[in-house]
Amino acid sequence: MTPGTAGFRGSPGTHEEWRGWREATHEALYGPEGFYRAGPEGPAGHFRTSVHASPLFAGAVARLLCRVDAALGRPAVLDFVDLAAGRGELVTGVLAALPAEVAARTRAYAVEVAARPEGLDPRIRWLREPPHGLTGLLFANEWLDNVPVEVAEVDAAGVARRVLVRGDGAQRLGEPVAGAEAEWLARWWPLTGEEGLRAEIGLPRDAAWASAVAALDAGLAVAADYAHTAAARPPFGTLTGFRQGRETEPVPDGSCDITAHVALDACAAAHTARCTPGHAPPDALMRPQREALHALGVTGVRPPLALASTDPAAYVRALASASQAAELTAAGGLGDFWWLLQPVGALDAAALLVDVADHEEQ
């Protein structure tokens, strides 16, 4: 389960019922027959995330966890939280990649709305919400983009109105955006008077992220997602659907994933706003996934051709690893994700991303 998706208790909508995108998406994704509850394969059956692309990703997260561990002085208990865990692929991979001494001290959590999958490592605690009082690393891979949000669109009179949707995907304009949602738009995603411009109102994501970070007493929270900042908001929004590996129209009937890119700068500021006045939190850091993974040793550098002659098997393994790394860091693909690193306590997020030697990719 995901913090920020709780609170809706309505019955599933019919094709005739008009609702805001937030309520409709919540029911379609997390309701009793929702997309994230269906099928043993989980999200992996419909789209390819960094976790599914290569074990190198889990290895990089394990390396980050070790750096957080060292920065915290190697506590007796080190927490790792896989937020929006799917079927537990990331947390399983991280535990497998950790050095034995670190793994022995690690308390692992998977947070997910779906039921615990059979055969999962018994060391992993399966929860619907993150516990509190954590010391370590909380990692949310492609979570915030699935926290449902309202959609606003500018009408012919230049007024931003809430977009309503039916169960069959038909849309129409509703009431004008007002209150806290209007304030959020004015600060984070101002809409000019041009008819048809759209924005996704990220207020629920801000609250969800601030709540997730609050689970940490000390450590680092990371959100990895397709994202944008105030300098380059998409003029018509990014709401879309995915079904069986292909992008599709977002229809809130439980048959497809419904997602929208994240205003990640707003999420970072939401945690800061919750901090005690006079106690400024450590600076958050935003980096493209390509840069973050490079700093954690995932470079995509191909092995030297001479290795093919001296150790063909090692060359093939190294070549496969380089191919996977290239996918994780590729421009126009997974490399375009953004990482938000939000430290809690006396951690320096920038110091945790120590660049590896810069090799020319072939």
Side-chain angles (χ1 to χ4, degrees):
M1 175 85 170
T2 56
T5 60
F8 291 93
R9 294 293 182 266
S11 59
T14 66
H15 286 331
E16 292 74 32
E17 181 182 4
W18 293 99
R19 301 186 289 177
W21 267 107
R22 185 184 179 197
E23 182 182 356
T25 299
H26 179 271
E27 189 63 38
L29 297 184
Y30 305 109
E33 305 298 325
F35 177 82
Y36 278 101
R37 292 182 182 270
E41 77 283 355
H46 294 270
F47 51 87
R48 185 176 175 85
T49 72
S50 299
V51 178
H52 308 129
S54 169
L56 293 175
F57 188 81
V61 176
R63 196 168 294 116
L64 179 60
L65 178 58
C66 289
R67 293 182 183 181
V68 170
D69 179 45
L72 292 172
R74 297 182 172 82
V77 176
L78 179 68
D79 295 306
F80 175 70
V81 180
D82 179 5
L83 188 53
R87 297 302 182 264
E89 297 95 337
L90 177 59
V91 63
T92 299
V94 167
L95 284 176
L98 288 174
E101 186 277 327
V102 179
R105 291 186 287 109
T106 297
R107 186 166 51 187
Y109 299 92
V111 179
E112 179 55 58
V113 65
R116 181 187 182 99
E118 294 184 5
L120 190 71
D121 189 324
R123 294 176 294 173
I124 299 169
R125 305 181 189 193
W126 194 267
L127 304 173
R128 292 173 63 89
E129 298 283 344
H132 282 258
L134 300 169
T135 298
L137 174 63
L138 180 147
F139 201 96
N141 185 62
E142 294 196 52
W143 166 51
L144 286 170
D145 67 318
N146 286 128
V147 174
V149 292
E150 298 291 359
V151 178
E153 182 176 323
V154 179
D155 67 10
V159 176
R161 294 181 175 272
R162 182 174 298 184
V163 178
L164 306 180
V165 63
R166 292 191 316 207
D168 61 0
Q171 301 179 62
R172 75 178 189 191
L173 298 186
E175 70 278 11
V177 178
E181 293 180 339
E183 293 174 4
W184 188 94
L185 281 178
R187 179 181 179 186
W188 292 109
W189 199 331
L191 291 171
T192 66
E194 183 181 343
E195 183 179 5
L197 294 181
R198 278 195 170 201
E200 289 104 25
I201 304 172
L203 203 58
R205 293 171 173 177
D206 296 354
W209 179 244
S211 177
V213 178
L216 287 167
D217 282 351
L220 181 73
V222 178
D225 238 313
Y226 281 120
H228 45 70
T229 64
R233 302 287 189 217
F236 302 104
T238 60
L239 188 74
T240 191
F242 284 92
R243 182 188 296 114
Q244 296 180 347
R246 294 187 178 183
E247 190 168 3
T248 185
E249 290 295 321
V251 179
D253 61 1
S255 69
C256 66
D257 184 31
I258 298 174
T259 179
H261 295 189
V262 183
L264 212 51
D265 48 348
C267 293
H271 166 68
T272 302
R274 281 198 179 188
C275 294
T276 304
H279 294 79
D283 290 338
L285 186 70
M286 286 183 61
R287 290 288 185 271
Q289 174 159 297
R290 186 174 192 270
E291 292 182 12
L293 289 181
H294 279 184
L296 292 167
V298 180
T299 65
V301 176
R302 296 182 61 174
L305 189 58
L307 185 62
S309 300
T310 59
D311 191 341
Y315 178 78
V316 170
R317 291 193 299 269
L319 193 61
S321 178
S323 177
Q324 294 170 11
E327 181 180 1
L328 289 171
T329 59
L334 296 173
D336 288 346
F337 271 59
W338 280 84
W339 284 26
L340 167 61
L341 294 88
Q342 195 113 45
V344 176
L347 259 69
D348 180 355
L352 296 172
L353 293 184
V354 179
D355 289 338
V356 297
D358 185 21
H359 297 288
E360 182 180 356
E361 294 186 7
Q362 300 178 16

